């Protein structure tokens, strides 16, 4: 595989990741509030721009784990 083909394949994979993440955020009915939330839009925007962010996952998940003990 050439460098150009590898880059093209990576762009295709990133595009698919954007679609999958959007579908998960939208929920089964396409109306889940996570899709339009700031964190949801931040995640989708991340896969549109051509930059890497070391601190992308640094934010706390809105649905914290709850202790079952």
């Amino acid at each position: 595989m050439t460098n150009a083909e590898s880059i093209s394949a990576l762009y295709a994979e990133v595009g698919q990741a954007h679609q999958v993440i959007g579908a998960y955020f939208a929920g089964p009915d396409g109306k889940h509030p996570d899709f339009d939330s700031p964190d949801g839009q931040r995640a989708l925007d991340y896969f549109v721009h051509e930059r890497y962010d070391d601190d992308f996952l640094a934010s706390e998940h809105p649905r914290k784990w709850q202790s079952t003990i």
Side-chain angles (χ1 to χ4, degrees), residues 8-68:
S8 180
L10 286 172
Y11 274 107
E13 289 177 23
V14 169
Q16 288 175 334
H18 182 269
Q19 291 173 345
V20 168
I21 291 166
Y24 281 124
F25 274 127
D29 63 357
K31 299 177 183 178
H32 197 279
D34 282 350
F35 185 83
D36 290 321
S37 73
D39 285 334
Q41 291 303 301
R42 179 176 172 257
L44 290 171
D45 287 347
Y46 182 73
F47 287 93
V48 173
H49 304 291
E50 295 179 18
R51 68 181 189 284
Y52 177 78
D53 182 357
D54 281 334
D55 296 321
F56 177 71
L57 296 176
S59 65
E60 188 173 319
H61 194 283
R63 290 182 220 111
K64 298 177 185 176
W65 292 101
Q66 295 180 352
S67 175
T68 58

